[in-house]
Amino acid sequence: MAMLKTETPSLAHSGLDQYGAAELVHAFVDEQLHAVQAVRAASASIAAAIEAAAPRLAAGGRLIYVGAGTSGRLGVLDSVELYPTFSWPHSRALAILAGGRDAMFTAVEGAEDDLRQGGADLNALAPGADDVVLLLAASGATPYVLGALRAARERGALTIGIANNAGAPLTREADVGITLDTGAEIISGSTRLKAGTAQKIVLNTISSALMVRQHKVYGNLMVDLKPTNAKLVQRSVRLTMHATGADEASARAVLEQCRFHVKVAIVALLRQASVAQAGALLEQANGSVRAALVK
């Protein structure tokens, strides 16, 4: 069996176990630069994934993440962050992980080898044509993930395969394949390192770009956050002040009227409208602050 590039021992740091603390830090940090380079090299396929996914989400589709081990946990992380950051509904950002929820915290041995379970877990979510399934595997050949991929394709969902080895089954069979050629790891085979970093960058990029397309951002401000704690409440006030030029008291007063919905507060302040009128303008503009301001 040919050795995967991600499993090949690195020739760059064969004396790693003899490094001092400073040398270890430099070696590990410098290795991460390859993750950024690998993502940059895949920019065209990442953009293609965003272009294909955006209209499906606009039509009501869901983001569904699939993975095993580190890759699966990165998918879970991306899915749960979309609600507080962009008010993206929990029901429209789902993640399945080989081994189930317990595998988020404890390795479930052998779970990633179960191709049939991957298909069954994906089918349990009843994906449809408007859904977008993001499948991650450093090797690009994890059976659980491939099972989910094939089930998603059978149901007509858009599939985006993300792997760290060229020519992998995952990227070949997906509607959009993203290859992150991060190469050998500084600790041989430990793909939680730069392979995982590259996957995280891609997930950040795809989901954030899709949220921009769904009008969750005005300029570069996250104006559709859920203020679920004191920090986010204060952030809502600052964002509103920055976008409108209002003082803190005025921004907070309008935010309190609209349950700290930053979008609504911005439109109300800039259009000198009531909260109800601002909400109506946003609805007519499909949630776009920029469009609501010129209506």
Side-chain angles (χ1 to χ4, degrees):
M1 182 184 296
M3 185 174 289
L4 295 173
K5 206 170 181 181
T6 49
E7 302 291 331
T8 303
S10 172
L11 301 178
H13 298 282
S14 57
L16 187 70
D17 60 336
Q18 297 176 309
Y19 287 9
E23 289 177 287
L24 284 169
V25 169
H26 288 305
F28 281 113
V29 171
D30 290 348
E31 276 287 295
Q32 297 301 305
L33 298 176
H34 296 295
V36 177
Q37 293 165 359
V39 175
R40 279 192 173 276
S43 293
S45 54
I46 297 168
I50 293 163
E51 293 290 357
R56 288 169 168 85
L57 296 190
R62 300 172 294 175
L63 286 169
I64 301 172
Y65 301 76
V66 183
T70 296
S71 297
R73 295 182 190 104
L74 289 172
V76 173
L77 180 62
D78 203 67
S79 73
V80 301
E81 290 181 338
L82 296 183
Y83 177 76
T85 308
F86 301 110
S87 294
W88 190 252
H90 293 299
S91 60
R92 296 183 65 193
L94 307 173
I96 58 174
L97 178 62
R101 296 175 73 90
D102 289 347
M104 189 69 192
F105 306 99
T106 306
V108 179
E109 301 301 334
E112 69 177 50
D113 299 326
D114 196 335
L115 185 143
R116 291 182 64 184
Q117 190 62 49
D121 288 351
L122 195 285
N123 280 324
L125 300 180
D130 289 330
D131 290 329
V132 177
V133 184
L134 297 125
L135 305 110
L136 302 107
S139 68
T142 304
Y144 179 90
V145 178
L146 291 178
L149 166 68
R150 291 161 189 169
R153 294 208 64 181
E154 285 178 6
R155 286 178 170 266
L158 175 69
T159 55
I160 300 170
I162 303 168
N164 297 83
N165 285 286
L170 179 58
T171 49
R172 287 201 314 267
E173 295 182 29
D175 296 307
V176 182
I178 299 172
T179 300
L180 306 172
D181 189 5
T182 45
E185 295 284 359
I186 185 171
I187 296 178
S188 302
S190 182
T191 51
R192 60 179 285 275
L193 298 174
K194 63 183 174 181
T197 298
Q199 291 178 5
K200 178 70 169 109
I201 295 171
V202 169
L203 290 177
N204 282 348
T205 301
I206 291 175
S207 62
S208 298
L210 289 172
M211 293 301 108
V212 171
R213 288 289 186 89
Q214 302 305 309
H215 308 305
K216 303 291 186 178
V217 174
Y218 171 53
N220 66 346
L221 306 179
M222 48 184 264
V223 295
D224 212 3
L225 75 161
K226 282 289 183 189
T228 53
N229 57 41
K231 175 189 72 175
L232 294 177
V233 166
Q234 189 56 40
R235 183 177 297 167
S236 298
V237 175
R238 290 198 304 271
L239 288 167
T240 303
M241 292 170 63
H242 182 85
T244 64
D247 59 36
E248 182 173 353
S250 299
R252 186 177 289 274
V254 175
L255 283 165
E256 287 174 350
Q257 293 175 42
C258 60
R259 298 183 179 181
F260 282 82
H261 194 170
V262 175
K263 276 186 173 186
V264 175
I266 290 172
V267 174
L269 285 163
L270 291 179
R271 291 291 300 265
Q272 296 185 328
S274 70
V275 163
Q277 290 170 331
L281 287 168
L282 279 164
E283 188 172 351
Q284 293 166 20
N286 293 318
S288 167
V289 171
R290 193 172 297 279
L293 291 175
V294 298
K295 277 191 172 292

